[in-house]
Amino acid sequence: MNKQQVSPINNIWLFMIVSATVIAAYNGRMTEITEASFESVKNAVTLAIGLIGSMALWLGIIQVVETAGGMIVIARLIRPIMVKLFPDIPASHSAMSAIILNIAANALGLGNAATPMGLKAMVEMDKLNPEKGTATDAMCLFLAINTSSVTIIPISVITVRASAGVNNPGDVILPTIFATCFSTITAILAAKFFARRQSMPSLNQPISSAYLDRNDLLEGETNKSELTPPNKIGKLIFASLIGAFFGAVIYRLNLKGITYIFSFAFLESLSNWLLPILICSFLLFGYFRGVKVYEKMTEGAKAGFEVAVRIIPFMVAIFVAIGMFRASGALDILAVILSPITNLIGMPTEALPMALIRPLSGSGAFGIMSEIVTNEPNSFLSYLVSTMQGSTETTFYVLAVYFGSVGIKKTRYALPAALCADVAGILASLVVCRIIF
């Protein structure tokens, strides 16, 4: 009888809770970790409930786009690259398009809008999974890329720097792009390397008729019977509204002046324009293609609700471990232990907590970054932690939520590959900030 391999996340999760309890006992912080555990449970459930609305909205919109045949169009545009990265996923399958939309949302800094698309991608990839409960190579690679946080415009970081009075809030864009590109390349190489080391024939062979029937291959194709093209009046009304929108854009630019496009204020307001524009664009695309947008929207929203509820146990587990680990003082001890290494590579000691907490807690890392930027707005330390925040992701949260959404218990090499991307992003941030600052 083969002994089942224990997931790395299982060991790390248990180590964090037990070590936090031991350290808290020595530090006299048992009250703190008790309070932190209950607070973490509340925060996990609150966040999960908050995700229900966002996931219902975006999975509903994706359902509209799928029915209109938009996923096939997207898949064709990037097929040469994505087919090489994900050879196990057919180019026309809806999983491929969901992966692309998730990566695009992360790159544009859309934050919560990327999560529903990522969860949708996991659900679709699990349909191709011949061994339920075990992560496939495609899943591991997707999460490694996701945790490397492909980012072009770190809107939230720029906003914090602007409110703190930094002389040039947008100066972190170039170093962030460099660092995130480096971490993404590392994520891909690490995932491909581990995939060869952990070769599993049933998971590594291209999708074949052995476990992919004709219905899966046709899943992304448009069902013509579901399409009802709008009449001339409908087309005229919505075409007029589109024209009115572009007129409004020109009007606003005339008020601000053409130089406004090159200002930070334009970049800051861009995030407020992106989401409404994307929502309207996707829905109008479906409408003009003949999709019953309201019906398909609500149909997809039901799936979003189910996925959001399914991930609550996994979020509770990871939030409790992180909360106890931080409250016990274990993170401070780890920073002291690693300080000789950080001194050797030239990383300021004050930046080490940021590097350690970033893979564990997004809100915690954001808080550390905000505090440093507020206290030392124009310092190298502020520049460095801002770049780290924009070029890395909350690894353990992403793995717990995404794998939890499809019931994956055996994560294989997903965590090592994701951590390689984190380390690469932090080191790249340090190097590029030393060069530019």
Side-chain angles (χ1 to χ4, degrees), residues 7-301:
S7 168
I9 293 182
N10 178 80
N11 294 333
I12 293 175
W13 178 80
L14 183 60
F15 172 79
M16 290 175 67
I17 291 181
V18 176
S19 62
T21 304
V22 173
I23 293 172
Y26 276 100
N27 291 341
R29 294 188 179 184
M30 297 302 285
T31 302
E32 285 82 350
I33 67 167
T34 301
E35 293 176 351
S37 64
F38 285 106
E39 185 68 21
S40 298
V41 169
K42 183 176 71 175
N43 290 340
V45 175
T46 301
L47 180 58
I49 292 175
L51 277 175
I52 290 177
S54 176
M55 291 179 63
L57 170 66
W58 284 100
L59 290 189
I61 291 173
I62 290 175
Q63 182 71 30
V64 172
V65 176
E66 280 186 0
T67 305
M71 295 303 193
I72 298 176
V73 175
I74 295 174
R76 286 171 181 167
L77 291 175
I78 47 72
R79 177 173 179 171
I81 298 175
M82 300 305 288
V83 165
K84 290 185 179 299
L85 284 179
F86 297 93
D88 292 353
I89 302 177
S92 61
H93 197 273
S94 54
M96 186 71 80
S97 301
I99 290 172
I100 297 160
L101 289 175
N102 169 264
I103 294 174
N106 275 323
L108 294 173
L110 298 184
N112 290 337
T115 302
M117 298 175 190
L119 293 173
K120 171 70 172 176
M122 291 297 292
V123 170
E124 295 301 324
M125 282 189 283
D126 197 51
K127 294 178 180 178
L128 305 175
N129 190 353
E131 191 175 332
K132 302 299 181 184
T134 299
T136 63
D137 288 334
M139 289 179 178
C140 292
L141 175 58
F142 171 64
L143 288 187
I145 294 175
N146 210 279
T147 56
S148 68
S149 186
V150 184
T151 306
I152 298 175
I153 306 176
I155 297 293
S156 59
V157 174
I158 294 174
T159 303
V160 170
R161 290 173 62 80
S163 62
V166 175
N167 293 337
N168 184 7
D171 60 0
V172 294
I173 293 178
L174 285 179
T176 296
I177 291 175
F178 173 83
T180 194
C181 287
F182 187 78
S183 64
T184 301
I185 292 172
T186 302
I188 294 171
L189 293 177
K192 293 295 185 181
F193 171 77
F194 287 123
R196 291 185 178 182
R197 293 287 300 272
Q198 297 187 21
S199 177
M200 296 180 65
S202 62
L203 293 177
N204 291 329
Q205 294 298 325
I207 301 299
S208 66
S209 58
Y211 52 88
L212 181 61
D213 58 27
R214 181 63 181 165
N215 290 330
D216 287 321
L217 287 171
L218 294 178
E219 187 171 356
E221 295 185 9
T222 305
N223 187 348
K224 301 295 184 181
S225 63
E226 295 182 356
L227 303 181
T228 307
N231 55 33
K232 293 182 179 180
I233 296 177
K235 291 180 179 179
L236 180 62
I237 290 174
F238 286 103
S240 300
L241 288 174
I242 294 173
F245 172 78
F246 283 107
V249 171
I250 295 173
Y251 171 72
R252 298 297 302 178
L253 289 178
N254 285 336
L255 287 179
K256 299 284 187 178
I258 194 64
T259 56
Y260 174 70
I261 298 178
F262 305 99
S263 67
F264 166 72
F266 173 77
L267 184 64
E268 188 177 20
S269 64
L270 187 61
S271 61
N272 297 324
W273 285 66
L274 279 176
L275 281 178
I277 290 174
L278 280 177
I279 291 173
C280 289
S281 298
F282 287 148
L283 294 179
L284 285 172
F285 172 76
Y287 176 78
F288 283 112
R289 289 276 294 173
V291 177
K292 299 173 183 177
V293 289
Y294 178 77
E295 293 179 7
K296 288 299 174 182
M297 172 76 187
T298 53
E299 182 182 318

Side-chain angles (χ1 to χ4, degrees), residues 160 164 369-377 382:
V160 170
M369 183 270 296
S370 301
E371 182 181 9
I372 291 175
V373 172
T374 301
N375 294 333
E376 306 176 46
S382 168

Side-chain angles (χ1 to χ4, degrees), residues 157 331 335 347-373 381-382 384-393 426:
V157 174
L331 192 64
M347 177 184 289
T349 306
E350 298 85 352
L352 187 55
M354 175 68 185
L356 294 176
I357 199 67
R358 186 67 178 109
L360 299 174
S361 171
S363 58
F366 191 81
I368 293 174
M369 183 270 296
S370 301
E371 182 181 9
I372 291 175
V373 172
L381 180 62
S382 168
L384 176 60
V385 296
S386 298
T387 305
M388 286 182 178
Q389 177 70 24
S391 58
T392 52
E393 186 53 271
I426 290 169

